[in-house]
Each structure stands twice: as C-alpha cells, then as structure tokens.
Amino acid sequence: MPETPPTRFAYLGPEGTFAEAALSTAVGPDEGLRQPAASVAAALVAVRTGEADAALVPLENSVEGSVPATMDGLADGDPLVITREVFLPVSFVLAVRPGTRAADVRTVVSHPHALAQTTRTVATWLPGVPSLPASSTAAAARAVAEGEHDAAVCAPIAAERYGLVPLAEDVADHPGAVTRFVLVSRPGTLPEPTGDDKTSLVAVVADRTGALLDVLREFAVRGISLTRIESRPTRDRLWVYSFSLDCEGHVAEARVGEALAALHRVCEDVRFLGSYPRADGRTNRPVPDVAADAAFADAHAWLARLRAGEV
C-alpha cells in the first residue's frame, strides 16, 4: 500500500524567509499546510515528534558554505531522511521602517549567513553600524518592524510582508548566490531511482591514520563521484570527526549499496540521510561498465558458483 504523501510542512520561519520561498517552489499551494518554525532545530523536532510530516531547511549556501544547525540536526537525534533538494537564488535588500534614513540607523540585524554575504556592501551604506544576528532573515525583518532594530538584511518578500521599505537593493557582496534546501521526513519508502540521484550520509571515523582514506576508497573503487564532503566534530570525544557526504547515485543501485555496506564495516558509525533526485541542473557521470548493476550481479553469480563447487 503506498504511503500517504506529506500534508503538513514545517520550514524555517517566520513567514517571509527564503525557506518559505523555497518550499513554495517544491510544494503546490494546495498540497498541504505550512508551519513556520522558530529555528532549524525546531523544524526538525516538528517532524520527529509527528507535528509535521516533512520540513524544509537550508543545508548550504554557494557563498558561505554549510549550515551547521542543519548538518548537526540531521547527524544527531532520531533518524530523518532527505527526500528532495531545492536550489533557490537569493537576493537581499537592506530594509528599514518607512521614513528611516541611513543616518538614523543604529543597528542592522539578520541571519549570520546573510550578514556574511553582505558585509562590504552594507558597510558602505551604514559605516560603523554594528551587525547583530537573528534566527532568520524574516525574523530580522519582523524585529525591525516591531522597533527592536533599525535595519534588516532580508529577502524582498520579507520586507514587503512586514511593511518595510528598501534603503538599498541587491546588497550582496557576491551577486548570484544560491542556497540549497532539503526536504526531510521520517524514514519510509525512498524515492524511486531516476538515473540522476544523490545519496547523502554521515560517516563517523576513528582517530587513526588513514581513516578518511578508507572512506574515500570505498567510493573510488566503485566509480562513485562525491559531490560534497565536510567534516564536523562529533562533540562526544576529542579528535573523533564525522564526515557529511553527498555522492552520485541511489542506494538501490548495487555500487552505492555496496559502498554504504563497506562504510558500515570500516567506520565507527554510518547514518544514511537519503537518496533523492538531484536538482542542481547537472547530470550524474556515466557509470563505468565494471560498476554497473549488471557487473555486480554477474560477479555475485560467479562467486555463488564457486562456493557451490561449480568451478
């Protein structure tokens, strides 16, 4: 019996975040309820406790890199799996309450990633004005609307939603930035292979010589390309790290399945984070003949004959 599709979606809120915009591109307006969450952790907790069927959270940005709250949130706690990825171009405005001039601004607030992407440009508009962190760009816009701060770096939709006006537009230091979001849910039936998929996982390796090489070798010998690898401290023991990985392929494919099984053997722990269609506009590299499923099936059949005495 097919699983019921998700109908309750949590996202990094409040209303007006880039996460809400990304969710709108992934889910139709009539496909379910949207629930803004106060933080990435809160969005993931909503899925784990059953308050939401799925959550859309930011994973990485093309300028500032990974989002630690999401990486750590997926690596720890009850398992969650990625079922979809969404790429969203991001642009920022420097927003203020109507009638506010640059000379009136005493503080500017935003999400740390947004502040990092706009540091130089904002400084030209507001020299010497301190920047303060917020849980999201929309939360920053709301704080300005409520009079807590004077200016926010946020999405144009957030400025409009909270009644702000742009003091400056397109304030990114590096125009053309893109944020990658992932839709996560509790473990269940995986999306079917499409031929252009990604598989995500977290591998914990011991503090020993060659540990990372052992991880990489399992992909290399099977002709699997890695599209992302990042290290994070496990926070349980000094010098023990986890590696967050994305690779081409689907766990249903023999080469990817065998790679994950091999990692389970050589790593202290492996957490599977899902296999899902890639959405970055690229296609997976051709699978070498020796790494195709037919080659694995032939090899297993040959080994079975040997073990049966049919040399």
Side-chain angles (χ1 to χ4, degrees):
M1 183 176 179
E3 293 187 356
T4 303
T7 57
R8 299 169 300 158
F9 298 91
Y11 66 90
L12 175 60
E15 295 180 354
T17 58
F18 289 110
E20 183 187 22
L23 181 60
S24 295
T25 70
V27 178
D30 300 324
E31 290 185 51
L33 300 174
R34 284 127 167 100
Q35 307 171 14
S39 64
V40 167
L44 299 180
V45 165
V47 179
R48 288 184 168 117
T49 60
E51 295 178 19
D53 302 314
L56 189 122
V57 291
L59 182 63
E60 60 178 328
N61 177 267
S62 61
V63 175
E64 284 303 302
S66 63
V67 179
T70 300
M71 293 182 65
D72 294 341
L74 293 177
D76 300 329
D78 293 338
L80 295 173
V81 294
I82 299 170
T83 60
R84 185 169 182 175
E85 64 178 5
V86 178
F87 289 83
L88 183 75
V90 295
S91 62
F92 301 100
V93 296
L94 182 60
V96 296
R97 292 183 297 277
T100 302
R101 302 169 303 169
D104 301 326
V105 176
R106 297 292 179 265
T107 56
V108 59
V109 63
S110 193
H111 187 275
H113 268 212
L115 292 174
Q117 293 178 64
T118 59
T119 300
R120 293 197 303 272
T121 306
V122 169
T124 64
W125 281 89
L126 304 172
V129 174
S131 298
L132 302 174
S135 60
S136 69
T137 55
R142 184 174 62 186
V144 172
E146 294 173 350
E148 297 177 22
H149 298 284
D150 301 319
V153 175
C154 62
I157 187 176
E160 181 180 351
R161 184 160 297 184
Y162 292 101
L164 306 180
V165 295
L167 185 64
E169 298 180 337
D170 297 325
V171 294
D173 296 339
H174 302 279
V178 175
T179 296
R180 178 190 177 201
F181 295 84
V182 290
L183 188 67
V184 301
S185 62
R186 292 181 296 280
T189 303
L190 298 176
E192 291 293 326
T194 67
D196 284 312
D197 302 291
K198 286 181 184 176
T199 291
S200 297
L201 61 126
V202 175
V204 179
V205 299
D207 177 24
R208 60 178 176 81
T209 302
L212 177 57
L213 179 60
D214 287 343
V215 171
L216 299 179
R217 182 185 296 115
E218 301 301 343
F219 294 100
V221 298
R222 294 172 177 86
I224 301 171
S225 295
L226 293 177
T227 59
R228 183 180 64 89
I229 177 170
E230 298 183 57
S231 65
R232 295 286 296 166
T234 60
R235 295 177 293 182
D236 293 329
R237 287 174 289 159
L238 285 175
W239 323 128
V240 177
Y241 288 85
S242 66
F243 288 89
S244 179
L245 304 164
D246 292 340
C247 71
E248 292 185 348
H250 194 287
V251 69
E253 299 173 15
R255 61 184 184 135
V256 177
E258 288 208 0
L260 267 60
L263 292 181
H264 188 268
R265 176 176 54 81
V266 302
C267 295
E268 290 199 355
D269 187 33
V270 177
R271 172 168 287 204
F272 174 70
L273 295 181
S275 291
Y276 48 91
R278 68 186 304 171
D280 54 8
R282 301 182 179 182
T283 57
N284 287 0
R285 293 167 178 80
V287 179
D289 290 341
V290 295
D293 279 8
F296 279 93
D298 181 65
H300 285 301
W302 173 78
L303 181 59
R305 291 194 299 272
L306 293 184
R307 288 171 171 169
E310 301 172 8
V311 180

